[in-house]
Amino acid sequence: MKTLVVIGHPDVATSSTQGFFKHAAKQEAGVTWYPLVAPFDRGAERALLWAADRIIFEFPLYWYSVPAVMKAWLDEVFDDDLLGTAGDRLAGKELGLVVNTGRALKDFAPGQGQSFTLAELLRPLQALANETKMTYLTPLVVGQFDYLTERERQELLVNYRQYLTAPHPGPGT
């Protein structure tokens, strides 16, 4: 299986979270770790998507959405032309999300401080998967990475590597 990890972060080089993920991804065969840098070459970006079996969007949650670089990439690469004939080339692929938050995950529980669950906030990306006929994977969400203990980071490492490469159960399983 070929996995493409699309990194939407405004400053990948200084991010402790992305440094952790990059190191883990580089240990896995068949995984391409791909930080977004504008300007984008639409044809090259699409070729990367088409070559992958699993596509992971990896980003910090910025104001309840993806960062600007990922939004610009989505707007440019996933245009109306892609949803036509070319859109079928994404059908059957898997779309996963690796999201990190600056807030504790409990803040996104129903009735808590953020008023919305992460599933609700990530719904537009699930809609993208549906529109392109990709299988949407349950997101891997990391709350407050810098506060994780060493044990929690080791568990995250295992979970992250499995998320990138392990088979995911199909719908209804």
Side-chain angles (χ1 to χ4, degrees):
M1 175 188 328
K2 293 181 183 175
T3 300
L4 173 66
V5 184
V6 180
I7 313 301
H9 194 289
D11 193 3
V12 174
T14 63
S15 168
S16 58
T17 308
Q18 290 308 315
F20 177 86
F21 287 148
K22 179 181 181 180
H23 179 73
K26 296 287 184 182
Q27 305 302 310
E28 296 296 326
V31 174
T32 301
W33 200 81
Y34 184 72
L36 296 174
V37 179
F40 310 112
D41 177 334
R42 186 181 311 173
E45 304 291 327
R46 288 181 178 175
L48 286 169
L49 293 170
W50 292 331
D53 302 303
R54 179 177 294 163
I55 300 161
I56 306 291
F57 293 167
E58 188 171 294
F59 58 93
L61 192 67
Y62 267 43
W63 292 109
Y64 311 103
S65 187
V66 298
V69 69
M70 183 164 273
K71 177 63 171 121
W73 180 80
L74 286 166
D75 288 346
E76 195 164 325
V77 175
F78 287 81
D79 64 5
D80 288 340
D81 290 336
L82 179 71
L83 300 179
T85 321
D88 291 340
R89 294 183 73 177
L90 295 175
K93 295 180 184 292
E94 296 175 331
L95 177 65
L97 308 176
V98 175
V99 182
N100 60 292
T101 70
R103 297 186 182 267
L105 296 182
K106 65 179 178 59
D107 291 346
F108 295 97
Q112 295 304 309
Q114 294 303 300
S115 301
F116 295 95
T117 66
L118 283 166
E120 291 170 317
L121 295 172
L122 299 173
R123 187 82 56 201
L125 296 172
Q126 184 176 8
L128 176 74
N130 291 343
E131 181 67 24
T132 56
K133 300 177 184 92
M134 288 190 280
T135 300
Y136 183 72
L137 305 177
T138 302
L140 175 63
V141 182
V142 180
Q144 298 182 308
F145 176 82
D146 289 333
Y147 295 104
L148 296 179
T149 65
E150 186 58 33
R151 181 171 186 259
E152 290 169 328
R153 286 184 184 206
Q154 290 304 312
E155 290 174 10
L156 175 59
L157 177 66
V158 170
N159 291 338
Y160 179 72
R161 290 174 77 179
Q162 288 177 343
Y163 194 79
L164 297 183
T165 61
H168 288 267
T173 58

